[in-house]
Amino acid sequence: KQEVTQIPAALSVPEGENLVLNCSFTDSAIYNLQWFRQDPGKGLTSLLLIQSSQREQTSGRLNASLDKSSGRSTLYIAASQPGDSATYLCAVSGNQFYFGTGTSLTVIP
Amino acid sequence: GAVVSQHPSWVICKSGTSVKIECRSLDFQATTMFWYRQFPKQSLMLMATSNEGSKATYEQGVEKDKFLINHASLTLSTLTVTSAHPEDSSFYICSARDRSGGGAYNEQFFGPGTRLTVL
């Protein structure tokens, strides 16, 4: 069974810092990997989707990479802002969707 | 495009009552919809896979008689929590896969979630 792990579980950084969130998965047979943002008590906002044939995707200050062979993905956030504070979830799509444990990010003004 | 809605967005009910949650794909047809549950400070856990016109497939540990799923059309799936108890209080999120293949392969589009509180 696919297992998805995210490190760190929580992260607190001062505003303006660049940061990296990590996601690892045990089964490399995936169709795609997706990063989501979840604000407290809210649903999921899709940030980036990387198809299995791709290495990375970029959107604004966000860059996500995928190394399928090693079972790893990173989400890079440049010049963090207080509005980036949220929980970030990665999910891999195989026969079904498997979610990671999440990283709770706090950006301190 | 690819919008999924859920109704209601939140519901409070008494213990022992049944609650129905609707999941709709607004601008695409979905042969497959998924129901997830999320407890506080935990990640999403898949409860069941709902296929249009057939019985849902439940994940291990999910009681199919308690969580009734109906996928009567290509744009609507419902989850009914029967005889709800306080331990069923959770955040329920649905997702849908575009039948036409819109989006990346196997991509799922998520609804905004329904907060259920059972008193």
Side-chain angles (χ1 to χ4, degrees):
Chain A
K1 179 184 174 183
Q2 178 76 271
E3 291 185 8
V4 183
T5 305
Q6 289 184 245
I7 295 173
L11 182 64
S12 184
V13 299
E15 182 177 2
E17 267 200 15
N18 303 324
L19 57 100
V20 175
L21 308 181
N22 297 292
C23 172
S24 61
F25 48 96
T26 54
D27 186 348
S28 62
I30 64 172
Y31 296 122
N32 55 59
L33 183 145
Q34 201 162 353
W35 283 92
F36 296 89
R37 168 188 174 136
Q38 186 175 33
D39 292 289
K42 303 293 185 181
L44 304 179
T45 299
S46 179
L47 298 174
L48 290 165
L49 181 148
I50 311 175
Q51 298 189 50
S52 62
S53 58
Q54 299 174 324
R55 298 282 291 181
E56 66 176 342
Q57 284 286 332
T58 298
S59 176
R61 294 182 294 108
L62 305 179
N63 175 278
S65 67
L66 173 63
D67 184 341
K68 206 171 70 162
S69 61
S70 68
R72 298 185 184 196
S73 175
T74 60
L75 177 66
Y76 175 82
I77 302 177
S80 58
Q81 303 172 356
D84 295 332
S85 298
T87 295
Y88 290 80
L89 296 166
C90 72
V92 296
S93 173
N95 291 327
Q96 60 175 266
F97 239 55
Y98 295 92
F99 279 88
T101 46
T103 294
S104 177
L105 172 66
T106 302
V107 180
I108 305 168
Chain B
V3 178
V4 176
S5 70
Q6 280 185 241
H7 179 80
S9 55
W10 59 269
V11 57
I12 301 173
C13 69
K14 292 182 178 180
S15 185
T17 60
S18 294
V19 175
K20 179 185 285 188
I21 302 170
E22 294 185 349
C23 176
R24 294 182 184 272
S25 56
L26 298 184
D27 49 3
F28 65 98
Q29 292 184 329
T31 49
T32 305
M33 291 184 170
F34 304 86
W35 287 96
Y36 296 83
R37 179 168 53 182
Q38 185 180 34
F39 291 109
K41 298 192 182 300
Q42 296 186 24
S43 192
L44 280 73
M45 296 300 294
L46 179 65
M47 297 175 65
T49 301
S50 169
N51 295 299
E52 187 266 338
S54 64
K55 290 183 178 180
T57 303
Y58 291 82
E59 294 300 300
Q60 191 172 9
V62 178
E63 300 174 58
K64 61 181 181 181
D65 295 330
K66 180 169 186 62
F67 299 98
L68 301 180
I69 292 173
N70 184 281
H71 193 157
S73 77
L74 288 172
T75 60
L76 173 64
S77 175
T78 61
L79 168 68
T80 301
V81 183
T82 62
S83 187
H85 287 93
E87 58 264 31
D88 297 324
S89 298
S90 188
F91 194 52
Y92 292 87
I93 301 178
C94 74
S95 69
R97 188 182 291 161
D98 189 339
R99 177 193 190 193
S100 68
Y105 183 77
N106 220 38
E107 183 174 7
Q108 294 182 26
F109 302 97
F110 286 81
T114 296
R115 172 79 54 195
L116 170 64
T117 301
V118 185
L119 302 177

